[in-house]
């Protein structure tokens, strides 16, 4: 069959339309497929986001069925998500220990029913059974698009970590609050004023000490009134100083006077900037510290002044080994110039300066030697050395490390001490040698009776062994040994008493002891200035024999002297009898009873009478002298007016003074007074002294007799301007008759006048003293009571 063109055209149009429709349908399907795939991808992404989100949804339908992701089952400890809400306790699923507790499930179920009925949201917190996980539940009515029919949507949050952090934050907040409260309490209880200023410098907080210091009512009133503790200093108020500290972001500390309770005391005030929040401040009372500092400075100055008075050199170094102080002896010992003390050197430099001045020992390696001395600063104990300098000086060096890292260096010049020690050793050896060479035995005992020193003769006299003495025994031990050697053992106690009296009673005593071998020892105890006692022992056996011989000879001499006295007395009487006859016959011849005498005969008779008179006086003098020496001179007692008495003596010698061309001046007044004595013998004594002055004065010379009275004494001074006497002649001037060396004769040393005058004056209780120098004359001073 042949198709017409119209049919073919129609068929072609149908095929084209079908093709277009098929292509459109395919494209539509393809679009739907891509849209479905996009929805699936979005669903998967949303599901993934839900799975990974911190909150999981729990959809509870009206019939009690639930929908939730598997993660929620894991959170509450279940293997899978149950179908119904009532199964969240885990009892019907796995019978394990997971799920919610019955109480939590009942509370959740009730909250869900209330939300489904009233659309009221709810919140609660649950902790699955056997888990530490904390879950927060937030429930509300679900959107109908999510689940129609009144379903409830519960979002579950796991805030276990947040809960721990919250607990920690709460703990830290509580601790911070407690610390803040303690800090506030500490600030309030602080004894020092403390305050806080705002950024504008105004007071905002003050403590109780601040309130008391300014005399305020309370802190609020002080802050409100802006009462400042510190007054303006140098034109700056306390608020301005705080502003400076805040502006510079640096603390400012100053010492200012503050008046508290009427007393003005020094305070250290500190302003501390606290960022941009403000400025904190406090004031510390340092008045006591300042007083202590002043006292310390005064003590330090006094101590340094005292150290300057010491003989030892003292220097102090700080922790940096810098010299901080050196007293004057130290500067002298190490030859430090004053300029050095203006810029105190370090220890190493000081050693260098001392080395240059030759004040340290010579060292082969001086740097190494110096490093060893620098190590003294780090030593744990004191270091001591002896330095011998080139000039022979011996120094004792003591280095004492200080706790602050410094060092105290003490230098003592022991040169003189060592010299004295050597001298002392020499003296000790000399003393030992001297003790051993003494004729008498010597021992020194301490106050406790222990033997300290002795010589060899001490051991020999008492027969003691050297080993015993070397042990320095007590006196009791020695007495046990001495007792055995005494003829009378009881005498040993006397030796002990002498030692105890010398050491304890500080008295000097003595005694004698007879030994069994016939020797006699004389001992004496002498207290020594150092508290010890000296026991001296002398063997007087030979001296006793000599003493007996001397005693016998003395008796013989006394008998001879008595014979001499009796001889002189007898001779005086024997001479006086014929002399009286001679004088009597001469007077008869002179009176012419024997006939007229020629001129020559008269002169002879006159000479005889003069000689008889002089010889009679000499006999009287010898008799008085002998009686006075024998102590048998009889004296008459009568009152004598001294001035007329002496005037009469001078007038009796007027003729002789004129013949010798001598001048005699008598000075005195009636105030001289009276004396009691033998007129005849006093006249003879004073006359002898005047006669001696006349004999010693050359022609044309002058004699002065002066009488004075003073406090119960009368003084007669008879002086001349004669040639005087030397010391030897003056010493013998008052000696009279003395026995010769053999005791068998009498020798006349000087004239009888002065010796007799002295005897007569002393018999009256007075004294006769001679003063003379060659070429200056002689003065005789007579004092009478």
């Amino acid at each position: 069959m042949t198709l017409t063109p119209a049919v073919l055209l129609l068929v072609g149009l149908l095929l084209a339309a079908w093709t277009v429709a098929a292509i459109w349908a395919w494209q539509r399907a393809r679009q739907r497929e891509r849209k479905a795939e996009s929805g699936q991808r979005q669903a998967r992404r949303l599901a993934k986001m839900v799975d990974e989100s911190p909150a999981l949804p729990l959809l509870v339908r009206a019939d009690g069925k639930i929908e939730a992701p598997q993660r929620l089952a894991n959170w509450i400890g279940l293997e899978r998500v149950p179908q119904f809400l009532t199964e969240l306790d885990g009892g019907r699923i796995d019978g394990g220990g997971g799920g919610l507790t019955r109480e939590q499930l009942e509370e959740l179920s009730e909250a869900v029913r209330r939300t489904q009925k009233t659309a009221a949201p709810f919140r609660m917190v649950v902790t699955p059974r056997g888990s530490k996980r904390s879950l927060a539940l937030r429930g509300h009515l679900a959107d109908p698009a999510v689940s129609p029919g009144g379903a409830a949507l519960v979002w579950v949050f796991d805030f276990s970590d947040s809960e721990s952090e919250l607990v920690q934050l709460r703990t830290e907040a509580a601790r911070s609050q407690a610390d803040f409260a303690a800090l506030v309490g500490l600030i309030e209880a602080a004894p020092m004023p403390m305050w806080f200023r705002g950024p504008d410098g105004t007071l905002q907080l003050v403590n109780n000490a601040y309130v008391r210091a300014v005399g305020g009512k309370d802190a609020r009133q002080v802050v409100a009134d802006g009462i400042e503790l510190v007054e303006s200093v140098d034109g700056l108020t306390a608020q301005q100083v705080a502003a400076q500290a805040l502006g510079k972001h640096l603390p400012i500390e100053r010492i200012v006077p503050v008046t508290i309770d009427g007393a003005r005391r020094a305070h250290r005030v500190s302003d501390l900037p606290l960022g941009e929040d403000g400025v904190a401040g406090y004031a510390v009372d340092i008045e006591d510290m300042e007083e202590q500092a002043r006292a310390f400075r005064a003590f330090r100055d006094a101590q340094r002044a005292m150290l300057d008075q010491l003989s030892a050199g003292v220097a102090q170094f700080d922790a940096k080994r810098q010299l901080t102080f050196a007293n004057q002896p130290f500067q002298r010992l190490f030859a430090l110039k004053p300029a050095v003390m203006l810029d105190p050197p370090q220890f190493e430099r000081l050693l260098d300066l001392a080395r240059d001045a030759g004040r340290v020992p010579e060292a082969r390696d001086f740097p190494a030697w110096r490093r060893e001395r620098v190590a003294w600063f780090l030593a744990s104990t004191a270091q001591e050395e002896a330095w011998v300098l080139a000039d022979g000086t011996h120094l004792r060096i003591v280095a004492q490390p200080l706790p602050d890292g410094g060092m105290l260096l003490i230098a003592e010049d022991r040169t003189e001490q060592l010299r004295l020690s050597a001298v002392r050793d020499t003296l000790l050896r000399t003393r030992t040698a001297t003790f051993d060479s003494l004729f008498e035995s010597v021992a020194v005992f301490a106050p406790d009776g222990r033997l300290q020193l002795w010589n060899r003769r001490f051991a020999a006299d008492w027969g003691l062994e050297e080993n015993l003495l070397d042990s320095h025994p007590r006196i009791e031990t020695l007495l046990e040994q001495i007792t055995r050697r005494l003829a009378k053992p009881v005498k040993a106690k006397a030796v002990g008493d002498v030692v105890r009296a010398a050491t304890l009673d500080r008295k000097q005593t003595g005694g004698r002891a007879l030994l069994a071998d016939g020797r006699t020892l004389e001992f004496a105890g002498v207290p020594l200035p150092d508290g010890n006692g000296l026991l001296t022992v002398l063997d007087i056996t030979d001296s006793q024999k000599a003493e007996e011989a001397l005693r016998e000879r003395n008796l013989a001499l006394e008998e001879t002297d008595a014979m001499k006295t009796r001889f002189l007395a007898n001779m005086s009487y024997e001479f006086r009898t014929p002399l009286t006859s001679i004088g009597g016959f001469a007077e008869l011849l002179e009176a012419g009873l024997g006939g007229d005498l020629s001129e020559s005969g008269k002169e002879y008779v006159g000479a005889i009478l003069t000689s008889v008179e002089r010889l009679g006086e000499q006999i009287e003098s010898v008799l008085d002298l002998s009686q006075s020496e024998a102590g048998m001179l009889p004296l008459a007692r009568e009152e004598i007016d001294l001035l007329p008495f002496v005037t009469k003596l001078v007038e009796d010698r007027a003729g002789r003074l004129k013949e010798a061309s001598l001048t005699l001046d008598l000075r005195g007044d009636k105030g001289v007074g009276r004396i009691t004595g033998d007129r005849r013998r006093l006249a003879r004594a004073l006359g002898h002294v005047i006669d001696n002055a006349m004999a010693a004065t050359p022609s044309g010379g002058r004699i002065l007799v002066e009488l004075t009275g003073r406090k119960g004494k009368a003084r007669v001074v008879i002086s001349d301007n004669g040639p005087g006497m030397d010391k030897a002649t003056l010493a013998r001037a008052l000696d009279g008759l003395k026995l010769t060396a053999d005791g068998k004769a009498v020798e006349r040393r000087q004239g009888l006048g002065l010796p007799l005058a002295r005897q007569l004056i002393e018999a009256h209780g007075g004294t006769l003293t001679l003063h003379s120098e060659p070429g200056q004359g002689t003065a005789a001073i007579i004092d009478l009571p």
Side-chain angles (χ1 to χ4, degrees), residues 1 70 81 94 136 161 178 187 246 263 314 326 341 394 400 467 493 511 536 578 615 617 640 642 725 742 748 761:
M1 178 173 163
Q70 180 60 32
V81 179
D94 52 12
D161 296 338
I187 293 175
L246 185 62
V314 180
M341 300 308 299
H394 292 260
Q400 176 64 55
N467 294 335
K493 182 178 180 300
T536 62
L615 184 57
E617 291 179 359
I640 302 172
L642 192 57
M725 294 180 286
D742 57 4
R748 184 171 181 271
I761 292 172

Side-chain angles (χ1 to χ4, degrees), residues 312-512:
V314 180
Q316 187 172 356
F317 299 85
D318 58 16
K320 297 180 180 179
R321 301 197 296 273
Q322 187 86 18
L323 179 65
T324 58
F325 170 73
N327 66 351
Q328 293 296 328
F330 188 90
Q331 298 179 34
R332 289 194 298 269
L333 287 176
F334 287 91
L336 298 181
K337 298 180 180 179
V340 175
M341 300 308 299
L342 297 178
D343 185 14
Q346 286 193 326
F347 182 68
E348 296 91 330
R349 177 58 180 162
L350 176 66
L351 293 180
D352 292 338
L353 295 174
R355 184 193 183 194
D356 295 339
R359 307 310 296 172
V360 296
E362 293 293 337
R364 179 175 300 177
D365 188 355
F366 181 75
W369 182 87
R370 182 178 56 192
R371 286 193 297 272
E372 292 176 357
R373 275 66 198 166
V374 172
W376 287 347
F377 283 87
L378 303 178
S380 58
T381 58
Q383 306 294 315
E384 183 173 343
E385 285 187 353
W387 290 4
V388 181
L389 307 185
D391 60 357
T393 302
H394 292 260
L395 297 181
R396 174 176 174 261
I397 304 297
V398 178
Q400 176 64 55
L402 300 178
D404 61 355
M407 184 178 69
L408 188 68
L409 189 65
I410 302 174
E412 180 184 2
D413 188 351
R414 304 189 64 186
T415 307
E416 185 66 17
Q417 183 178 354
L418 292 176
R419 187 188 68 80
L420 292 177
S421 178
V423 173
R424 175 180 174 274
D425 294 341
T426 302
L427 290 176
L428 289 177
R429 291 193 296 269
T430 303
R431 183 191 67 182
T432 302
T434 303
F435 275 14
D436 290 340
S437 62
L438 289 177
F439 181 73
E440 58 186 348
S441 59
V442 176
V444 177
F445 290 87
D448 60 354
R450 188 176 296 276
L451 180 65
Q452 299 292 327
L453 298 172
W454 67 94
N455 61 353
R456 295 177 182 175
R457 191 169 184 86
F458 181 80
D461 283 347
W462 294 108
L464 301 174
E465 296 181 359
E466 290 291 340
N467 294 335
L468 174 64
L469 298 180
D470 291 339
S471 64
H472 297 276
R474 294 183 180 273
I475 183 62
E476 293 81 4
T477 305
L478 290 179
L479 292 179
E480 294 177 0
Q481 300 296 323
I482 292 175
T483 302
R484 305 171 185 174
R485 291 167 174 78
L486 294 176
K488 295 181 180 180
V490 294
K491 292 293 292 184
K493 182 178 180 300
V495 179
D497 293 341
V498 167
V499 173
R500 281 186 286 272
T503 55
L504 300 180
D505 301 336
R506 313 300 296 163
K507 294 181 180 178
Q508 181 173 344
T509 57
R512 290 185 179 183

Side-chain angles (χ1 to χ4, degrees), residues 247-311:
K248 297 179 181 179
H249 300 287
L250 293 174
I252 295 178
E253 184 178 281
R254 55 195 178 130
I255 297 177
V256 296
V258 176
T259 303
I260 298 178
D261 295 333
R264 198 162 181 82
R265 301 174 65 85
H267 282 66
R268 180 182 287 110
V269 179
S270 300
D271 290 288
L272 309 174
L274 304 178
E276 300 298 331
D277 297 331
V279 179
Y282 62 89
V284 180
D285 188 346
I286 61 171
E287 181 66 27
D288 295 337
M289 186 168 26
E290 286 291 312
E291 182 64 27
Q292 291 179 357
R294 289 190 291 269
F296 172 75
R297 286 192 295 269
F299 172 75
R300 182 190 62 188
D301 295 340
Q303 186 182 44
R304 291 184 172 180
M306 179 191 67
L307 291 177
D308 282 337
Q309 304 302 319
L310 296 179
S311 59

Side-chain angles (χ1 to χ4, degrees), residues 2-15:
T2 304
L3 297 175
T4 63
V7 172
L8 292 173
L9 179 61
L10 179 61
V11 170
L13 290 173
L14 290 171
L15 290 172

